[in-house]
């Protein structure tokens, strides 16, 4: 996985190129907005991405439906979509929807679909989050 050095400034957001294996994604990040941890691609995501790109895992993902909890800006879910998953549900708190929706639009995948759903787990245990695919 590598990020390009040429980020495109858009206000306080940045668009960076991320490449993992044969998949290249253009991702909008907003690392200065720390109201949520989901505004940038974290190192742990890049490590998991490399693992998921190995041939053994790619076969398991072919045609899969994926639910990603806490997808942030959508890096891993979009990577899985471009690796062979048929449908990816990206979920996170409302504060990162603008980034994830932007990244879904930037990285269309023929034969696959990414969907966004707000799923906020910060309720302090006072009820269950709702999700409807």
């Amino acid at each position: 996985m590598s990020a390009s050095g040429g980020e495109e400034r858009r206000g306080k957001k940045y668009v960076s190129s991320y490449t993992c294996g044969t998949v290249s994604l253009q991702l909008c990040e907003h690392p200065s907005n720390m109201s949520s941890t989901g505004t940038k691609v974290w190192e742990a995501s890049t490590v998991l991405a490399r693992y998921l790109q190995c041939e053994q895992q790619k076969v398991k993902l072919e045609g899969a439906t994926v639910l990603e909890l806490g997808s942030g800006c959508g890096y891993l879910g979009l990577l899985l979509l471009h690796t062979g998953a048929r449908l990816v549900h990206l979920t996170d708190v409302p504060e990162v929807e603008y980034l994830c929706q932007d990244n879904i639009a930037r990285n269309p995948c023929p034969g696959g679909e990414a969907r966004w759903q707000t799923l906020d787990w910060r309720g302090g245990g006072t009820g269950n989050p709702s999700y409807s695919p």
Side-chain angles (χ1 to χ4, degrees):
M1 200 295 308
S2 65
S4 76
E7 293 90 6
E8 169 190 336
R9 290 185 183 267
R10 294 205 173 178
K12 294 181 182 178
K13 297 187 294 182
Y14 299 89
V15 177
S16 301
S17 296
Y18 285 88
T19 301
C20 184
T22 60
V23 177
S24 290
L25 300 171
Q26 297 292 312
L27 296 175
C28 184
E29 298 177 87
H30 194 171
S32 63
N33 177 3
M34 291 308 289
S35 64
S36 172
T37 57
T39 59
K40 69 176 200 166
V41 175
W42 290 87
E43 179 77 24
S45 295
T46 64
V47 171
L48 182 55
R50 284 192 302 271
Y51 171 75
L52 293 171
Q53 280 288 291
C54 73
E55 285 305 313
Q56 183 181 17
Q57 298 307 315
K58 286 167 80 172
V59 171
K60 293 177 185 177
L61 293 169
E62 194 66 39
T65 298
V66 175
L67 171 61
E68 183 181 8
L69 301 174
S71 60
C73 57
Y75 172 62
L76 281 174
L78 291 170
L79 178 80
L80 295 179
L81 188 66
H82 286 268
T83 300
R86 178 184 54 80
L87 176 61
V88 175
H89 297 276
L90 302 165
T91 68
D92 211 319
V93 296
E95 293 85 354
V96 299
E97 178 178 3
Y98 72 104
L99 285 174
C100 198
Q101 291 281 27
D102 189 356
N103 291 330
I104 290 169
R106 286 176 184 279
N107 298 283
C109 182
E113 181 183 0
R115 297 180 186 168
W116 165 263
Q117 175 75 39
T118 298
L119 188 56
D120 194 340
W121 291 86
R122 298 174 294 186
T126 59
N128 296 320
S130 61
Y131 178 77
S132 57

